[in-house]
Amino acid sequence: MSKKVVCILFGGASSEHEISRVSAANVLDNIDRNIYEVLSVGITREGNWFLTNAKTEEIKNGEWENLHNKACVISPDPKHHGLLVFNKNGDYSVTRVDVIFPVLHGKNGEDGTVQGLFELAKIPYAGCGVLGSAACMDKAVTKEILKQAGVPVTDGIVIYDYKKTDFNKVLKRTLDTLLFPVVVKPSNAGSSVGVSLAENEEELKTALLTAANEDRVILIERAVDAREIECAVLGSFHEARSAAPGEIIKSSKMYDYNTKYSDATSSTQIPADISCEKQEEIKALACKSFKAMGLFGLARVDFFIDRKDGKVMLNEINTLPGFTDISLYPKAWKHEGMSYQELITKIIELSFER
Protein backbone atom coordinates (compact mmCIF):
# COMPACT_ATOMS: atom_id res chain seq x y z
CA MET A 1 0.00 0.00 0.00
CA SER A 2 1.18 3.50 -0.77
CA LYS A 3 1.60 5.84 2.17
CA LYS A 4 -1.02 8.49 2.91
CA VAL A 5 0.33 12.02 2.57
CA VAL A 6 -0.22 14.04 5.76
CA CYS A 7 0.29 17.80 5.73
CA ILE A 8 1.23 19.16 9.16
CA LEU A 9 0.42 22.86 9.55
CA PHE A 10 2.19 24.85 12.26
CA GLY A 11 2.89 28.40 13.41
CA GLY A 12 0.14 30.75 12.35
CA ALA A 13 -0.81 34.41 12.66
CA SER A 14 -1.68 33.99 16.33
CA SER A 15 -0.48 34.92 19.80
CA GLU A 16 0.06 31.18 20.27
CA HIS A 17 2.49 30.91 17.35
CA GLU A 18 5.42 29.64 19.46
CA ILE A 19 3.37 26.98 21.25
CA SER A 20 2.08 25.73 17.90
CA ARG A 21 5.66 25.22 16.70
CA VAL A 22 6.50 23.12 19.77
CA SER A 23 3.30 21.06 19.47
CA ALA A 24 3.93 20.45 15.75
CA ALA A 25 7.54 19.39 16.36
CA ASN A 26 6.30 16.75 18.81
CA VAL A 27 3.69 15.52 16.32
CA LEU A 28 6.37 15.32 13.60
CA ASP A 29 8.69 13.39 15.92
CA ASN A 30 5.99 10.87 16.84
CA ILE A 31 3.93 10.33 13.69
CA ASP A 32 4.24 6.83 12.21
CA ARG A 33 6.48 7.25 9.17
CA ASN A 34 5.84 3.65 8.15
CA ILE A 35 2.29 4.49 7.12
CA TYR A 36 2.44 8.25 6.47
CA GLU A 37 4.45 10.47 4.20
CA VAL A 38 4.72 13.84 5.91
CA LEU A 39 4.80 17.38 4.54
CA SER A 40 5.54 20.29 6.88
CA VAL A 41 3.93 23.66 6.13
CA GLY A 42 4.81 26.60 8.35
CA ILE A 43 2.77 29.78 8.60
CA THR A 44 4.59 32.90 9.73
CA ARG A 45 3.19 35.43 12.18
CA GLU A 46 2.40 37.59 9.16
CA GLY A 47 0.33 34.80 7.61
CA ASN A 48 2.76 33.67 4.88
CA TRP A 49 2.74 29.94 4.05
CA PHE A 50 5.87 27.91 3.25
CA LEU A 51 6.60 24.27 2.52
CA THR A 52 9.71 23.45 4.55
CA ASN A 53 12.15 20.61 5.10
CA ALA A 54 13.18 22.01 8.46
CA LYS A 55 14.21 19.68 11.26
CA THR A 56 11.96 19.57 14.27
CA GLU A 57 14.44 21.50 16.41
CA GLU A 58 14.49 24.26 13.78
CA ILE A 59 10.70 24.36 13.87
CA LYS A 60 10.71 24.60 17.68
CA ASN A 61 13.17 27.50 17.85
CA GLY A 62 11.84 29.38 14.83
CA GLU A 63 14.96 28.95 12.69
CA TRP A 64 12.84 27.27 10.01
CA GLU A 65 11.91 30.71 8.65
CA ASN A 66 15.56 31.35 7.68
CA LEU A 67 15.83 28.25 5.50
CA HIS A 68 15.27 27.91 1.75
CA ASN A 69 11.56 27.24 1.94
CA LYS A 70 9.05 27.27 -0.90
CA ALA A 71 6.01 29.52 -0.82
CA CYS A 72 2.80 27.53 -0.97
CA VAL A 73 -0.93 27.61 -0.28
CA ILE A 74 -3.66 25.03 0.13
CA SER A 75 -5.72 25.29 -3.03
CA PRO A 76 -9.44 25.84 -2.40
CA ASP A 77 -10.09 24.11 -5.74
CA PRO A 78 -11.03 20.44 -5.03
CA LYS A 79 -9.45 19.27 -8.27
CA HIS A 80 -5.99 20.06 -6.84
CA HIS A 81 -6.65 18.25 -3.54
CA GLY A 82 -3.56 19.72 -1.97
CA LEU A 83 -0.85 22.35 -2.14
CA LEU A 84 0.10 24.81 -4.82
CA VAL A 85 3.88 25.11 -4.44
CA PHE A 86 5.39 28.19 -6.10
CA ASN A 87 8.72 28.44 -7.89
CA LYS A 88 10.84 31.59 -8.02
CA ASN A 89 9.79 32.29 -11.60
CA GLY A 90 6.13 32.41 -10.57
CA ASP A 91 5.19 28.97 -11.86
CA TYR A 92 3.64 26.47 -9.51
CA SER A 93 3.29 22.73 -9.13
CA VAL A 94 0.54 20.77 -7.40
CA THR A 95 1.38 18.46 -4.49
CA ARG A 96 -1.43 16.12 -3.57
CA VAL A 97 -2.38 15.84 0.11
CA ASP A 98 -4.53 13.06 1.55
CA VAL A 99 -5.18 14.61 4.96
CA ILE A 100 -4.32 17.81 6.82
CA PHE A 101 -3.34 17.93 10.49
CA PRO A 102 -3.59 21.59 11.60
CA VAL A 103 -1.40 21.80 14.69
CA LEU A 104 -2.47 25.42 15.06
CA HIS A 105 -3.57 26.96 18.34
CA GLY A 106 -5.72 30.05 18.81
CA LYS A 107 -6.96 32.50 16.22
CA ASN A 108 -6.64 31.70 12.52
CA GLY A 109 -6.13 28.03 13.28
CA GLU A 110 -8.45 26.79 16.00
CA ASP A 111 -11.39 29.09 15.28
CA GLY A 112 -12.88 27.63 12.11
CA THR A 113 -11.01 29.82 9.63
CA VAL A 114 -8.61 27.25 8.15
CA GLN A 115 -11.22 24.54 8.64
CA GLY A 116 -13.39 26.43 6.16
CA LEU A 117 -10.52 26.33 3.66
CA PHE A 118 -10.17 22.56 4.13
CA GLU A 119 -13.89 22.15 3.51
CA LEU A 120 -13.68 24.13 0.28
CA ALA A 121 -10.72 22.04 -0.83
CA LYS A 122 -12.58 18.83 0.12
CA ILE A 123 -9.50 17.50 1.91
CA PRO A 124 -9.97 15.41 5.07
CA TYR A 125 -8.56 17.11 8.16
CA ALA A 126 -7.89 16.34 11.79
CA GLY A 127 -9.98 17.86 14.52
CA CYS A 128 -13.21 19.76 14.83
CA GLY A 129 -15.18 21.33 12.01
CA VAL A 130 -15.98 24.94 11.19
CA LEU A 131 -18.92 25.47 13.53
CA GLY A 132 -17.54 23.54 16.50
CA SER A 133 -14.16 25.23 16.21
CA ALA A 134 -15.63 28.72 15.91
CA ALA A 135 -18.13 28.25 18.73
CA CYS A 136 -15.58 26.83 21.17
CA MET A 137 -13.04 29.54 20.36
CA ASP A 138 -15.57 32.08 21.60
CA LYS A 139 -15.93 31.40 25.32
CA ALA A 140 -19.09 33.50 25.63
CA VAL A 141 -20.81 31.52 22.86
CA THR A 142 -19.60 28.22 24.32
CA LYS A 143 -21.15 28.95 27.69
CA GLU A 144 -24.48 30.04 26.26
CA ILE A 145 -24.78 26.82 24.26
CA LEU A 146 -23.70 24.62 27.17
CA LYS A 147 -26.06 26.32 29.62
CA GLN A 148 -28.89 25.39 27.26
CA ALA A 149 -27.56 21.81 27.23
CA GLY A 150 -27.63 21.65 31.02
CA VAL A 151 -23.86 21.78 31.57
CA PRO A 152 -22.85 23.86 34.63
CA VAL A 153 -20.55 26.76 33.73
CA THR A 154 -18.78 29.51 35.65
CA ASP A 155 -20.75 32.67 36.48
CA GLY A 156 -19.87 35.78 34.50
CA ILE A 157 -20.85 38.75 32.38
CA VAL A 158 -19.96 39.67 28.80
CA ILE A 159 -18.60 43.07 27.75
CA TYR A 160 -18.65 44.14 24.09
CA ASP A 161 -16.31 46.78 22.61
CA TYR A 162 -14.81 47.78 25.97
CA LYS A 163 -12.64 50.51 24.41
CA LYS A 164 -15.88 52.31 23.49
CA THR A 165 -17.57 51.60 26.84
CA ASP A 166 -17.55 53.70 29.99
CA PHE A 167 -15.50 51.97 32.70
CA ASN A 168 -17.86 53.02 35.49
CA LYS A 169 -20.72 51.16 33.81
CA VAL A 170 -18.60 48.03 33.59
CA LEU A 171 -17.55 48.44 37.22
CA LYS A 172 -21.18 48.75 38.33
CA ARG A 173 -22.20 45.60 36.44
CA THR A 174 -19.27 43.75 37.96
CA LEU A 175 -20.08 44.81 41.52
CA ASP A 176 -23.82 44.19 41.07
CA THR A 177 -23.30 40.71 39.64
CA LEU A 178 -20.01 39.22 40.77
CA LEU A 179 -18.04 41.21 43.35
CA PHE A 180 -14.24 41.03 43.58
CA PRO A 181 -12.05 39.12 42.93
CA VAL A 182 -12.83 38.43 39.27
CA VAL A 183 -11.05 36.88 36.31
CA VAL A 184 -10.98 38.96 33.12
CA LYS A 185 -10.36 37.23 29.82
CA PRO A 186 -10.75 37.85 26.09
CA SER A 187 -13.58 35.73 24.73
CA ASN A 188 -11.49 34.68 21.71
CA ALA A 189 -7.97 33.68 22.75
CA GLY A 190 -6.15 30.63 24.02
CA SER A 191 -3.29 29.56 26.29
CA SER A 192 -4.54 32.13 28.82
CA VAL A 193 -3.23 35.00 26.68
CA GLY A 194 -4.72 38.28 27.92
CA VAL A 195 -6.18 36.71 31.09
CA SER A 196 -5.84 38.56 34.42
CA LEU A 197 -7.01 38.32 38.01
CA ALA A 198 -8.50 41.58 39.34
CA GLU A 199 -9.00 42.11 43.08
CA ASN A 200 -9.94 45.78 43.03
CA GLU A 201 -11.09 48.64 40.80
CA GLU A 202 -7.64 49.63 39.50
CA GLU A 203 -6.70 46.05 38.67
CA LEU A 204 -10.01 45.64 36.85
CA LYS A 205 -9.28 48.67 34.70
CA THR A 206 -5.83 47.30 33.76
CA ALA A 207 -7.19 43.80 33.15
CA LEU A 208 -9.91 45.06 30.82
CA LEU A 209 -7.38 46.93 28.69
CA THR A 210 -5.17 43.83 28.54
CA ALA A 211 -8.07 41.66 27.40
CA ALA A 212 -9.31 44.29 24.95
CA ASN A 213 -5.98 44.10 23.12
CA GLU A 214 -6.81 40.50 22.24
CA ASP A 215 -10.52 40.64 21.42
CA ARG A 216 -13.51 42.98 21.26
CA VAL A 217 -15.53 40.62 23.46
CA ILE A 218 -14.47 40.26 27.10
CA LEU A 219 -15.65 37.88 29.82
CA ILE A 220 -15.60 38.91 33.46
CA GLU A 221 -16.09 35.85 35.65
CA ARG A 222 -16.32 35.17 39.33
CA ALA A 223 -12.93 34.06 40.62
CA VAL A 224 -13.46 30.60 42.05
CA ASP A 225 -11.25 29.07 44.73
CA ALA A 226 -11.09 25.87 42.80
CA ARG A 227 -9.08 22.92 41.63
CA GLU A 228 -8.43 22.96 37.87
CA ILE A 229 -9.30 19.68 36.17
CA GLU A 230 -8.79 18.91 32.47
CA CYS A 231 -10.37 16.04 30.57
CA ALA A 232 -9.20 14.71 27.20
CA VAL A 233 -11.90 13.59 24.76
CA LEU A 234 -11.43 11.58 21.57
CA GLY A 235 -14.09 10.47 19.13
CA SER A 236 -16.68 11.23 16.47
CA PHE A 237 -20.16 12.77 16.30
CA HIS A 238 -21.65 9.40 17.25
CA GLU A 239 -19.23 8.09 19.83
CA ALA A 240 -16.77 9.90 22.08
CA ARG A 241 -14.78 8.74 25.06
CA SER A 242 -12.83 10.60 27.69
CA ALA A 243 -9.60 9.74 29.45
CA ALA A 244 -9.16 9.93 33.19
CA PRO A 245 -9.26 13.62 34.22
CA GLY A 246 -5.98 15.26 35.18
CA GLU A 247 -5.37 18.08 37.63
CA ILE A 248 -3.27 21.19 37.12
CA ILE A 249 -1.07 21.73 40.17
CA LYS A 250 -0.49 25.49 40.02
CA SER A 251 2.49 27.36 41.44
CA SER A 252 0.70 30.73 41.34
CA LYS A 253 -2.80 32.19 41.67
CA MET A 254 -3.32 32.29 37.92
CA TYR A 255 -2.54 29.44 35.53
CA ASP A 256 -1.50 31.96 32.89
CA TYR A 257 0.66 31.73 29.74
CA ASN A 258 4.00 31.89 31.62
CA THR A 259 2.86 29.42 34.26
CA LYS A 260 1.74 26.99 31.54
CA TYR A 261 4.83 27.09 29.37
CA SER A 262 7.76 28.73 31.21
CA ASP A 263 7.39 27.93 34.91
CA ALA A 264 8.71 24.45 35.68
CA THR A 265 7.16 24.47 39.16
CA SER A 266 3.63 23.87 37.85
CA SER A 267 2.69 20.31 36.97
CA THR A 268 -0.12 17.92 36.07
CA GLN A 269 -1.36 14.92 38.00
CA ILE A 270 -3.04 12.11 36.07
CA PRO A 271 -5.42 10.88 37.23
CA ALA A 272 -6.57 13.73 39.42
CA ASP A 273 -6.75 12.91 43.12
CA ILE A 274 -10.54 12.98 43.28
CA SER A 275 -13.17 10.37 44.07
CA CYS A 276 -14.23 7.82 41.47
CA GLU A 277 -17.70 9.39 41.49
CA LYS A 278 -16.27 12.84 40.75
CA GLN A 279 -14.07 11.41 37.97
CA GLU A 280 -17.09 9.79 36.33
CA GLU A 281 -19.12 13.01 36.68
CA ILE A 282 -16.41 15.02 34.92
CA LYS A 283 -15.91 12.42 32.18
CA ALA A 284 -19.65 12.36 31.50
CA LEU A 285 -19.85 16.17 31.39
CA ALA A 286 -16.84 16.30 29.05
CA CYS A 287 -18.47 13.92 26.56
CA LYS A 288 -21.82 15.69 26.90
CA SER A 289 -20.14 19.03 26.14
CA PHE A 290 -18.23 17.50 23.21
CA LYS A 291 -21.50 16.34 21.63
CA ALA A 292 -23.47 19.49 22.50
CA MET A 293 -20.89 21.66 20.71
CA GLY A 294 -20.86 19.37 17.65
CA LEU A 295 -17.18 18.50 18.04
CA PHE A 296 -15.23 15.84 16.21
CA GLY A 297 -11.85 14.17 16.57
CA LEU A 298 -10.37 15.66 19.71
CA ALA A 299 -10.87 18.27 22.38
CA ARG A 300 -9.75 19.05 25.91
CA VAL A 301 -12.56 20.08 28.23
CA ASP A 302 -11.49 22.13 31.25
CA PHE A 303 -13.38 22.25 34.56
CA PHE A 304 -13.23 23.81 38.00
CA ILE A 305 -14.09 21.98 41.21
CA ASP A 306 -15.10 24.53 43.84
CA ARG A 307 -13.09 23.84 46.99
CA LYS A 308 -15.97 25.00 49.19
CA ASP A 309 -18.86 22.90 47.97
CA GLY A 310 -17.32 20.46 45.46
CA LYS A 311 -19.44 21.81 42.60
CA VAL A 312 -18.12 21.06 39.10
CA MET A 313 -18.21 23.90 36.56
CA LEU A 314 -17.02 23.94 32.97
CA ASN A 315 -14.38 26.60 32.31
CA GLU A 316 -13.65 26.23 28.59
CA ILE A 317 -13.11 23.82 25.69
CA ASN A 318 -9.96 23.63 23.54
CA THR A 319 -10.56 22.06 20.13
CA LEU A 320 -6.83 21.75 19.36
CA PRO A 321 -5.16 21.12 22.72
CA GLY A 322 -1.41 21.36 23.16
CA PHE A 323 0.90 18.55 22.07
CA THR A 324 3.97 19.87 23.88
CA ASP A 325 6.07 17.77 26.28
CA ILE A 326 4.10 19.13 29.23
CA SER A 327 0.63 19.09 27.64
CA LEU A 328 -2.05 17.12 29.45
CA TYR A 329 -3.86 15.83 26.35
CA PRO A 330 -1.26 13.29 25.13
CA LYS A 331 -0.29 12.47 28.73
CA ALA A 332 -3.89 11.59 29.57
CA TRP A 333 -4.13 9.11 26.72
CA LYS A 334 -0.73 7.64 27.58
CA HIS A 335 -2.17 6.92 31.03
CA GLU A 336 -5.00 5.07 29.25
CA GLY A 337 -2.44 2.88 27.46
CA MET A 338 -2.33 4.78 24.14
CA SER A 339 1.13 5.84 22.99
CA TYR A 340 1.81 9.23 21.42
CA GLN A 341 2.19 7.54 18.02
CA GLU A 342 -1.05 5.59 18.43
CA LEU A 343 -2.89 8.75 19.45
CA ILE A 344 -1.74 10.62 16.33
CA THR A 345 -2.71 7.68 14.13
CA LYS A 346 -6.18 7.52 15.73
CA ILE A 347 -6.74 11.27 15.19
CA ILE A 348 -5.77 10.91 11.51
CA GLU A 349 -7.97 7.82 11.08
CA LEU A 350 -10.92 9.80 12.46
CA SER A 351 -10.26 12.44 9.77
CA PHE A 352 -10.94 9.86 7.06
CA GLU A 353 -13.94 8.50 8.96
CA ARG A 354 -15.60 11.92 8.79
Side-chain angles (χ1 to χ4, degrees), residues 12-25:
S14 164
S15 57
E16 298 177 77
H17 178 96
E18 291 84 357
I19 305 306
S20 168
R21 294 200 316 253
V22 178
S23 287

Side-chain angles (χ1 to χ4, degrees), residues 102-295:
V103 192
L104 299 167
H105 305 311
K107 293 181 181 179
N108 303 309
E110 198 177 349
D111 58 359
T113 51
V114 295
Q115 287 77 12
L117 173 59
F118 308 151
E119 293 281 356
L120 289 173
K122 298 189 184 303
I123 302 174
Y125 60 95
C128 301
V130 176
L131 180 58
S133 298
C136 286
M137 190 66 191
D138 191 313
K139 299 175 182 66
V141 171
T142 300
K143 292 187 175 182
E144 283 303 313
I145 294 173
L146 292 180
K147 279 193 288 186
Q148 294 295 320
V151 176
V153 300
T154 49
D155 296 330
I157 59 176
V158 181
I159 306 298
Y160 298 94
D161 293 317
Y162 170 67
K163 291 183 178 180
K164 299 178 182 178
T165 305
D166 180 62
F167 171 73
N168 289 324
K169 292 181 180 179
V170 176
L171 177 63
K172 185 177 186 305
R173 280 189 67 193
T174 302
L175 295 176
D176 287 347
T177 310
L178 301 171
L179 302 178
F180 287 114
V182 294
V183 176
V184 182
K185 59 180 73 172
S187 192
N188 287 273
S191 290
S192 296
V193 174
V195 178
S196 307
L197 178 69
E199 299 185 285
N200 54 55
E201 181 177 332
E202 283 305 310
E203 289 182 358
L204 177 61
K205 187 177 293 186
T206 301
L208 286 165
L209 288 172
T210 300
N213 287 331
E214 298 296 328
D215 190 40
R216 60 172 288 271
V217 183
I218 299 173
L219 280 176
I220 305 176
E221 298 179 335
R222 178 171 64 91
V224 184
D225 180 16
R227 298 169 68 178
E228 296 197 24
I229 309 294
E230 298 181 348
C231 194
V233 182
L234 183 69
S236 65
F237 297 127
H238 310 293
E239 183 180 3
R241 64 189 179 110
S242 55
E247 181 170 10
I248 305 301
I249 310 300
K250 298 182 293 183
S251 60
S252 62
K253 284 185 179 181
M254 286 290 294
Y255 192 49
D256 56 14
Y257 185 93
N258 289 329
T259 308
K260 286 181 177 180
Y261 301 115
S262 302
D263 185 354
T265 60
S266 292
S267 62
T268 56
Q269 181 176 336
I270 304 170
D273 185 15
I274 55 179
S275 68
C276 291
E277 292 78 13
K278 193 65 71 176
Q279 284 197 38
E280 291 305 314
E281 178 185 357
I282 288 171
K283 289 172 69 174
L285 283 172
C287 288
K288 182 177 183 178
S289 302
F290 188 89
K291 293 177 180 178
M293 298 302 297
L295 305 186

